[in-house]
Amino acid sequence: MSGSPAVVMRLVASAYAVAEKAGTIVRKVLHSGELGIVEKTGANDLQTLADRLAQQSICASLSKRFPKITIIGEEDLPSEEIQEDLIETGQSEEILQRSCPPEYSQLKEEEIVVWVDPIDGTKEYTEASRCLHFQAVAQAPHKGLDTPQPHSTALWLLDNVTVLIGIAYGGRAIAGVINQPFYNYKLGAGTQLGRTMWGMLGLGAFGFQLQEVPGDRRIVTTTRSHSNKLVTDCVDSMEPHEVVRVGGAGNKIIQLVEGKASAYVFASPGCKKWDTCAPEAILHAVGGKLTDMHGNAYRYDANVKHMNSAGVLATLRNHEYYVSRVPQSVLQALKSD
Ligand code: AMP
Ligand code: MG
Ligand code: MG
């Protein structure tokens, strides 16, 4: 490689380190037990201290190094001085060593938009926290050894939590980083928690083993906490062999690329551009597709509407099959932008 790395490669390399730092913040706040939960539009739309600190860390770190890039974060936060220890200056050396796909080698900061979801799956994060807290109380000596732990299964929800940093150019999601802060939590003490996945169009995606659902089995993944009749009707119309209800848009794309699900079907408004930008880029980098329920692409320009009003349909393969199964009632209710 000659000369210094392209701007976009430096950005992805920074986003990788910044997402890891955010993952550390997300773990720290969970362990503190002080989540500082705020309801935004309602009980299923939450913000915690971890969402606030992680977004501050991501946005301040990236804008310090790339001052001309437009950065849009999910959380509405007052603009205030950011604590110095939230700033991450590291970069992934491995990403810096990679050649930039020629079509992106000349991108300027001004042309790039970054979409940030500091925690995707906040609802599940708060539920897992309650479960952990319950266990801590149950294990206190005065409670005795026979205290039941009915919520312990809720710990699986930790896998639903991700940090998403999506990079867009020309209205398209071209690169993305996903940090999964609690990956490996099942292995217990002494294991390094968390992993970071990244991908870029023209380069591929890294940090996981690409796998497909075997044969023509249809496994549909969908929301567990934002369902309604339209959502369930649409899932049924796909004639799935199995339905996997998990939280988070990032986590559902992980299900697709790791061979746990064949389609992510969400026939409802609710997901926003920061939920889909990074996951879409990683999915597209390995040949998959994310669209609205009509099969139309979303755009990620700085001035677009944040809400993905026409739902989310994502697949690793056979996108056309799933688009063709979407019921008329859904197509009529959810109009493309
Ligand atoms: P889910 O699949 O329900 O975990 O949703 C994926 C992402 O979209 C999460 O970041 C949710 O917060 C967001 N989302 C989906 N539906 C809604 C809704 N009705 N209200 C608020 N956020 C939503
Ligand atoms: Mg989200
Ligand atoms: Mg979020």
Side-chain angles (χ1 to χ4, degrees):
M1 190 176 54
S2 61
S4 63
V7 169
V8 71
M9 297 313 293
R10 289 198 292 110
L11 174 61
V12 179
S14 289
Y16 186 100
V18 165
E20 290 203 318
K21 166 89 173 179
T24 308
I25 294 169
V26 171
R27 284 191 294 270
K28 221 186 235 176
V29 173
L30 182 89
H31 291 129
S32 79
E34 303 290 332
L35 260 58
I37 299 170
V38 173
E39 284 190 13
K40 296 194 287 186
T41 59
N44 283 336
D45 191 12
L46 305 175
Q47 182 196 76
T48 69
L49 175 64
D51 297 77
R52 297 187 283 277
L53 291 177
Q55 177 163 311
Q56 285 181 328
S57 172
I58 295 167
C59 295
S61 304
L62 292 180
S63 69
K64 193 165 183 178
R65 202 183 268 263
F66 305 96
K68 294 183 193 151
I69 289 180
T70 302
I71 304 175
I72 304 171
E74 171 174 8
E75 310 306 336
D76 226 346
L77 301 175
S79 55
E80 56 187 38
E81 207 47 39
I82 304 298
Q83 288 164 242
E84 202 47 42
D85 64 347
L86 289 177
I87 305 286
E88 171 63 51
T89 55
Q91 291 174 292
S92 157
E93 283 304 320
E94 192 213 311
I95 298 177
L96 287 176
Q97 297 302 320
R98 295 208 175 243
S99 303
C100 184
E103 60 273 37
Y104 306 129
S105 63
Q106 302 302 317
L107 297 199
K108 300 188 190 68
E109 285 190 26
E110 299 88 312
E111 298 173 310
I112 297 173
V113 182
V114 175
W115 293 91
V116 176
D117 189 344
I119 298 184
D120 183 50
T122 299
K123 171 94 174 133
E124 286 73 19
Y125 180 67
T126 61
E127 287 178 37
S129 167
R130 267 203 305 279
C131 155
L132 270 181
H133 179 69
F134 177 87
Q135 285 189 328
V137 171
Q139 284 161 5
H142 66 275
K143 290 275 184 180
L145 289 173
D146 298 331
T147 310
Q149 299 181 16
H151 301 306
S152 63
T153 49
L155 271 185
W156 70 271
L157 294 171
L158 287 173
D159 272 342
N160 296 190
V161 175
T162 58
V163 174
L164 306 175
I165 305 180
I167 297 169
Y169 159 69
R172 301 291 171 215
I174 64 162
V177 177
I178 300 181
N179 179 275
Q180 198 175 22
F182 301 102
Y183 180 72
N184 265 347
Y185 80 90
K186 289 188 203 79
L187 301 183
T191 323
Q192 181 160 9
L193 279 184
R195 64 167 164 175
T196 306
M197 310 159 81
W198 70 280
M200 185 170 187
L201 301 189
L203 273 188
F206 311 91
F208 62 96
Q209 198 77 49
L210 182 65
Q211 284 187 57
E212 289 183 35
V213 171
D216 40 19
R217 236 182 114 67
R218 284 183 300 280
I219 305 178
V220 170
T221 184
T222 190
T223 183
R224 63 178 282 281
S225 60
H226 298 104
S227 204
N228 56 44
K229 183 161 174 357
L230 217 50
V231 169
T232 50
D233 284 353
C234 192
V235 167
D236 291 345
S237 73
M238 304 298 167
E239 298 186 353
H241 299 100
E242 192 183 332
V243 178
V244 178
R245 294 180 197 284
V246 290
N251 179 43
K252 282 192 264 297
I253 295 304
I254 295 175
Q255 307 292 310
L256 294 184
V257 298
E258 294 198 314
K260 310 256 173 51
S262 5
Y264 168 14
V265 179
F266 184 56
S268 169
C271 281
K272 326 286 187 316
K273 296 295 179 296
W274 43 77
D275 291 306
T276 48
C277 186
E280 176 176 327
I282 289 178
L283 184 63
H284 284 200
V286 295
K289 204 162 178 182
L290 185 149
T291 65
D292 68 15
M293 300 312 297
H294 300 259
N296 295 324
Y298 279 115
R299 290 194 64 95
Y300 295 91
D301 311 86
N303 58 358
V304 292
K305 195 176 74 179
H306 293 164
M307 183 71 84
N308 293 331
S309 307
V312 175
L313 180 58
T315 57
L316 187 59
R317 308 275 175 253
N318 304 327
H319 201 73
E320 290 317 313
Y321 166 81
Y322 291 94
V323 173
S324 75
R325 304 291 307 182
V326 175
Q328 276 303 320
S329 56
V330 168
L331 297 177
Q332 273 159 15
L334 306 178
K335 296 280 178 236
S336 288
D337 291 336

